[in-house]
Amino acid sequence: MSRPLVPGLIAEGETDEIFLGILIFRQLQRLTWASARCAVNVAPAEIASCRSIRDEDRVAEALGDLAGECHLLFVHNDHRERRKVEAVRQATSLPVVGVVPVRETEAWLLADRKAWRRFKGSDLRLLPANPRDVEKIADPKHVLDRVVPRQNQHVRDYFEFIGRNVDLDVLAQVPAYAAWVAETESALKGLGYL
């Protein structure tokens, strides 16, 4: 018999929801497969009905909706909005893990050169040689826009593809990502999953 694990996610935008929802699912699977006390059935992330940049009343309402369905809540904010993670922690009884890249989520998409090689026309020259250096990019959205091949694909398709194909070991070399994984592991231990 397996124990269910349903994560919830409140993110800043649609592309963040796409990328982080997939990444959360993959990372939770990896963590629980590696060291779970029992078999864990990780569900895809439940996405909140509002974005984390909205007003606090709407976020509180979304939290209430997620609280009935989820075991663990992930709150995404880019570096300028770090304080919102703590506000969410105080508004719910669920364990809350902040997903806070140094600058923007787009930096995490730039960490794995091999994943981008699969897109014909990607400009790999703009990607740092060392994955950890994505945190030094001043404007990750701008760099991502220049890396993306000029094809008839919607930018959200790249967020989904990289979310599914980024090497988690490569991404773990990015300090903010590694910190998020460590905080997630701690939360899973607190919930008795690990």
Side-chain angles (χ1 to χ4, degrees):
M1 185 160 163
S2 66
R3 184 176 173 197
L5 173 57
V6 181
L9 172 63
I10 297 179
E12 285 189 347
E14 179 187 9
T15 53
D16 298 314
E17 290 171 350
I18 292 165
F19 177 69
L20 294 174
I22 295 166
L23 209 56
I24 287 167
F25 175 75
R26 289 182 61 210
Q27 190 65 65
L28 288 175
Q29 280 189 320
R30 177 181 266 199
L31 290 170
T32 57
W33 284 345
S35 59
R37 294 174 148 180
C38 62
V40 177
N41 183 18
V42 178
E46 294 287 331
I47 307 297
S49 59
C50 75
R51 303 296 188 320
S52 60
I53 57 173
R54 301 284 185 223
D55 65 79
E56 290 181 24
D57 290 338
R58 289 188 65 195
V59 170
E61 183 179 323
L63 284 173
D65 293 343
L66 289 175
E69 302 171 19
C70 300
H71 302 101
L72 178 62
L73 183 63
F74 293 92
V75 178
H76 162 255
N77 286 115
D78 289 335
H79 73 287
R80 293 178 301 276
E81 301 290 334
R82 292 176 189 272
R83 63 176 174 70
K84 290 190 177 180
V85 173
E86 196 52 46
V88 170
R89 278 192 180 109
Q90 302 207 2
T92 183
S93 59
L94 287 176
V96 175
V97 176
V99 184
V100 186
V102 166
R103 296 206 192 286
E104 299 165 331
T105 306
E106 286 78 3
W108 290 2
L109 276 85
L110 300 171
D112 187 358
R113 291 174 150 276
K114 287 183 181 177
W116 283 103
R117 281 191 189 120
R118 295 177 63 187
F119 279 115
K120 185 178 180 180
S122 297
D123 191 348
L124 302 178
R125 297 171 299 160
L126 301 169
L127 300 176
N130 187 334
R132 73 179 299 113
D133 290 342
V134 297
E135 293 189 338
K136 296 177 184 175
I137 298 172
D139 189 349
K141 286 181 183 177
H142 177 72
V143 172
L144 179 64
D145 187 50
R146 292 177 54 210
V147 168
V148 168
R150 301 292 170 226
Q151 298 174 355
N152 291 333
Q153 283 186 277
H154 191 280
V155 70
R156 65 181 285 160
D157 295 337
Y158 297 105
F159 280 76
E160 182 176 350
F161 179 84
I162 298 299
R164 292 191 190 290
N165 294 284
V166 65
D167 184 327
L168 297 180
D169 292 327
V170 170
L171 204 46
Q173 296 173 47
V174 177
Y177 187 83
W180 170 72
V181 171
E183 187 177 349
T184 300
E185 242 180 325
S186 179
L188 291 172
K189 286 177 184 173
L191 290 167
Y193 284 97
L194 303 181

